[in-house]
Amino acid sequence: MASSTHPNAPCAACKFLRRKCIQGCVFSPYFPPEDPTKFANVHKIFGASNVSKLLNEIAPHQREDAVNSLAYEAEARLKDPVYGCVGAISVLQRQVLRLQKELDATNADLIRFSSDQNTLMMPQSSGNSLQNPHMLPPNYGAYSWNYNP
Amino acid sequence: MHHFFPSFLTQIILHLLTQIMTLKGGTSQACAACKYQRKRCTPECALAPHFRPEQTEIFKNAHKLFGVRNILRILEQVDPAMKNEAMRSIIYQANMRDRSPVHGCLGVIYQLQYQIRQAEKELYTVFSQLELYKQNQRRQQEITLSPMDSPESQQLQLGMGVEQSGNPGLTLFQNEVNDHTPQQPFVPVAAFQISYSGNENGSDVINVDSKDSMNMNNVMWGQQICYNENNDKSQMVNTQPLTIQDEVTHDYDEIYPFFDTIDDTQSYIDSKEANESSSDSSQLKEATQSIQHVAGNTLKNAQLQVNKCLEIYGLVGGLGFGYVILGVLMEDIAQITVACTGSELMQALTFF
C-alpha cells in the first residue's frame, strides 16, 4: 500500500496538493504515488477534506475498501456527470426485475408440466397399484402392506 | 369610513403581515442548504429547487460527501434539463454513503450482482428441469403413437445411456436407476423414472459445482438436452461430456463412428499380455456370460471385443467370437438390464 520506491516519497495526495507528506498521512497507504489519477479523480468529485473526514470516521482495516469505492464512484461520476454510478445501479435493478419475472413465469410452467406429468402417470400406475395404497378400494386393503386402514 | 384609517397605516399593517407570513414558512423561506449554511436564501439560490426546507438530513448527507462547491460544479456541467436527474443521483449516492460509510453505492452494486447471479443460477436449473419434462412428454407421446417400436427403442435408449468419459475402461450409466429389476417392454413409467432420476443426478451435479463452472455445466446441460430433443433414439439424460455425446450415432447399427471415440485400447493391451496363455474356449465362455449381464453399451462392447479378438486371435477367432456375440445378443436383447457397473464391465474386458 505504501510507496515501495522510497520510504519518504510523498503519496499521490500530498503530491497533488503540493504539501509535505508527513509520517501519519491518512492518504498515503491508499494513494500510492504510482497512481496519481486515483486521487485526482477523488479530489475532483469529493474533495480532499471530505475524503479525509470520511476516512477518519472509518476503522483502519476498512479504509482501503472505502477508498476503492470512492475512487470507483468518482470515476463513474466523471464519465457520466448526470447519473454517475447510480446509472449502473439502475441497469442492475432492471436486470434483477427482468430475471425475477422470467423465473416466476418459468416456475409456473414447471408446475404446470409437473402436474401434467403426474396426471399422465396416474392411469399408467394402476398396474402397480400395490405401491400406491390410496388407489386401492378399501376391501383390498388387507392385501397391501402399505395400506393402513 | 376610510378617512379614519389612514393609508400609511394600511401599508404598515400589510408589511407586518408579510413579515409574519415569511417567518411562518411562506414561499421565501430558506432552503435546507442555506439553512445549513446559515445564510440568506436568495431567489437565485441554485440548490433551493432541490432541497426543500424540511430536507435538512438529506442535504447534510450530500454536503458531507460532496460539499456545496462540488455539487454546484456538477450541476454546472450538466444540461439544464438534466439538472433534476443529476441532483437526484447525487442525493441517492450521498444517502447510500450515509447508510454504508465503507462501501456506499458500490455495496449496492455488489448486492445486485449477487442477486442476479443467484437468479440466473435458479433460472438455469428451472429451465433444465422444464426441458426434461418437455422431453419426457414428447417421448410419452411418441410411445403412445408408435407402440410397436417402443420395446427396442426403449431398450436401446436404456442401453445407450453410457458415460463416455474417455477414461481407460468404460464406465456405464449407473445413475440412480440401480434397481436390478428386469426392464419390461412398454413401460413408460420406467423410462420416466430413469430419466427423472437422471435429472436429479444432473441437477445435483449442477448445484454442487462452483459458480463459474456451474454456469458452464448448465450451458452444457442445456446443450445436451437440446441434442436429446433432436434425436429420436437419443440417450437418456446423463452427465456425458458434450463432445462425446455429439459423436453418438443415431442408428444403433452404425456403431463404427462411436467406437472410434472410445479410448480404452490401453486396458486391452495391458490385459492382453496377461491372458495370452488362457484357452480360447474358456475365455469365450466367460466373455459370453459376462456380456449377458452387461447393460448400457452392450453392442458397442461387442464390437470392441470383436476388434480386439481380431487383433489377438486373428481373423478366425475374431469372426467366431463375433458370431457368438451376435447370437447371444439376439436372444437376450429383451432382457438386458441397465444396472451394470463399470467394474463389472472392466472385469469382463480383462478376460481379453
Side-chain angles (χ1 to χ4, degrees):
Chain A
M1 289 188 298
S3 167
S4 55
T5 53
H6 195 279
N8 292 330
C11 66
C14 295
K15 233 178 174 179
F16 187 93
L17 299 169
R18 294 187 190 165
R19 67 181 193 193
K20 187 166 185 263
C21 191
I22 58 174
Q23 195 71 10
C25 174
V26 69
F27 297 119
S28 63
Y30 317 110
F31 294 103
E34 294 86 24
D35 190 4
T37 320
K38 189 176 176 185
F39 180 78
N41 292 343
V42 168
H43 176 63
K44 198 168 179 187
I45 299 298
F46 301 114
S49 61
N50 288 338
V51 174
S52 165
K53 284 183 211 166
L54 273 164
L55 288 180
N56 284 327
E57 287 175 1
I58 293 170
H61 67 281
Q62 291 179 312
R63 284 177 187 170
E64 190 171 6
D65 289 338
V67 164
N68 290 336
S69 70
L70 286 169
Y72 170 81
E73 288 180 23
E75 195 177 343
R77 182 63 66 174
L78 285 167
K79 283 181 187 168
D80 182 4
V82 178
Y83 292 107
C85 66
V86 182
I89 289 177
S90 102
V91 167
L92 290 172
Q93 281 175 340
R94 276 201 296 271
Q95 204 171 342
V96 167
L97 281 173
R98 183 181 57 80
L99 281 170
Q100 195 56 50
K101 274 186 192 167
E102 205 171 335
L103 200 56
D104 291 341
T106 315
N107 271 324
D109 282 345
L110 192 65
I111 289 167
R112 190 164 43 86
F113 263 98
S114 68
S115 65
D116 287 349
Q117 291 283 350
N118 287 336
T119 313
L120 279 169
M121 280 184 66
M122 288 298 283
Q124 291 163 351
S125 65
S126 60
N128 300 326
S129 58
L130 286 176
Q131 295 174 6
N132 190 356
H134 301 291
M135 296 279 292
L136 292 173
N139 51 345
Y140 287 99
Y143 298 96
S144 169
W145 55 86
N146 289 328
Y147 180 69
N148 291 321
Chain B
M1 187 69 179
H2 58 275
H3 296 290
F4 296 97
F5 210 78
S7 60
F8 72 94
L9 280 175
T10 312
Q11 285 180 4
I12 291 170
I13 291 167
L14 279 172
H15 181 70
L16 282 171
L17 281 172
T18 310
Q19 289 283 338
I20 291 166
M21 279 165 59
T22 305
L23 284 170
K24 283 197 173 176
T27 54
S28 58
Q29 192 184 11
C31 69
C34 294
K35 259 171 136 176
Y36 185 87
Q37 297 170 82
R38 294 177 196 276
K39 65 178 195 180
R40 192 159 168 268
C41 188
T42 62
E44 293 82 26
C45 176
L47 298 177
H50 308 289
F51 295 102
R52 290 195 302 275
E54 60 273 14
Q55 292 176 323
T56 51
E57 272 302 310
I58 292 171
F59 177 77
K60 190 176 140 201
N61 294 338
H63 178 65
K64 188 177 176 186
L65 181 61
F66 291 93
V68 174
R69 197 168 61 179
N70 290 328
I71 294 175
L72 290 172
R73 191 189 302 157
I74 292 170
L75 288 180
E76 281 164 16
Q77 288 175 1
V78 302
D79 290 337
M82 300 303 289
K83 277 188 180 173
N84 286 341
E85 286 296 296
M87 204 60 228
R88 274 182 60 213
S89 72
I90 286 169
I91 288 170
Y92 179 84
Q93 199 172 334
N95 286 338
M96 288 302 110
R97 183 61 63 171
D98 179 59
R99 190 187 293 186
S100 166
V102 178
H103 301 290
C105 278
L106 203 55
V108 177
I109 289 173
Y110 288 154
Q111 269 185 346
L112 289 168
Q113 285 175 339
Y114 176 77
Q115 284 178 25
I116 286 168
R117 279 198 301 272
Q118 292 298 106
E120 280 175 350
K121 207 188 282 190
E122 202 177 334
L123 201 58
Y124 279 133
T125 309
V126 174
F127 266 134
S128 56
Q129 291 219 346
L130 195 60
E131 282 303 315
L132 283 168
Y133 274 122
K134 285 180 181 173
Q135 192 181 354
N136 283 328
Q137 200 181 47
R138 251 178 253 118
R139 204 169 279 148
Q140 283 173 5
Q141 284 170 358
E142 284 168 14
I143 286 166
T144 52
L145 284 172
S146 59
M148 294 305 296
D149 292 335
S150 65
E152 289 177 346
S153 64
Q154 284 274 328
Q155 295 305 320
L156 289 165
Q157 284 172 11
L158 296 172
M160 295 284 276
V162 175
E163 180 170 352
Q164 300 298 325
S165 61
N167 294 325
L170 296 171
T171 55
L172 296 180
F173 180 55
Q174 55 170 350
N175 290 337
E176 280 56 33
V177 189
N178 280 326
D179 53 335
H180 293 267
T181 56
Q183 294 298 319
Q184 302 290 332
F186 297 105
V187 183
V189 174
F192 175 74
Q193 284 173 351
I194 290 165
S195 62
Y196 185 75
S197 59
N199 171 38
E200 282 176 353
N201 188 38
S203 62
D204 286 342
V205 169
I206 287 171
N207 286 333
V208 301
D209 279 348
S210 68
K211 164 167 61 69
D212 291 333
S213 61
M214 181 282 307
N215 285 332
M216 287 302 296
N217 284 335
N218 275 329
V219 169
M220 289 170 62
W221 184 261
Q223 288 174 352
Q224 288 179 11
I225 288 163
C226 290
Y227 177 82
N228 285 331
E229 280 178 5
N230 296 327
N231 189 358
D232 289 338
K233 292 179 184 179
S234 60
Q235 298 191 9
M236 288 293 181
V237 174
N238 53 41
T239 56
Q240 289 189 18
L242 192 60
T243 51
I244 300 292
Q245 187 155 348
D246 273 337
E247 299 172 19
V248 171
T249 58
H250 294 247
D251 185 352
Y252 68 90
D253 286 334
E254 298 171 4
I255 50 182
Y256 294 99
F258 183 75
F259 281 130
D260 290 339
T261 68
I262 296 172
D263 183 22
D264 57 350
T265 55
Q266 189 58 42
S267 66
Y268 280 101
I269 292 166
D270 288 341
S271 56
K272 159 191 163 184
E273 292 163 5
N275 292 310
E276 266 182 351
S277 59
S278 302
S279 65
D280 296 355
S281 59
S282 63
Q283 283 186 353
L284 285 174
K285 193 176 174 187
E286 283 172 335
T288 306
Q289 285 173 351
S290 64
I291 281 166
Q292 285 181 1
H293 296 94
V294 167
N297 221 5
T298 306
L299 289 168
K300 297 171 209 137
N301 296 336
Q303 178 69 20
L304 261 177
Q305 289 156 12
V306 168
N307 287 338
K308 293 305 166 184
C309 270
L310 283 171
E311 288 177 21
I312 300 165
Y313 302 109
L315 183 63
V316 174
L319 286 176
F321 180 66
Y323 180 76
V324 168
I325 293 296
L326 270 175
V328 168
L329 289 174
M330 292 300 284
E331 286 179 10
D332 295 341
I333 196 168
Q335 295 179 7
I336 292 171
T337 64
V338 180
C340 175
T341 62
S343 59
E344 285 180 77
L345 180 59
M346 279 304 298
Q347 212 173 355
L349 293 175
T350 52
F351 287 136
F352 298 93

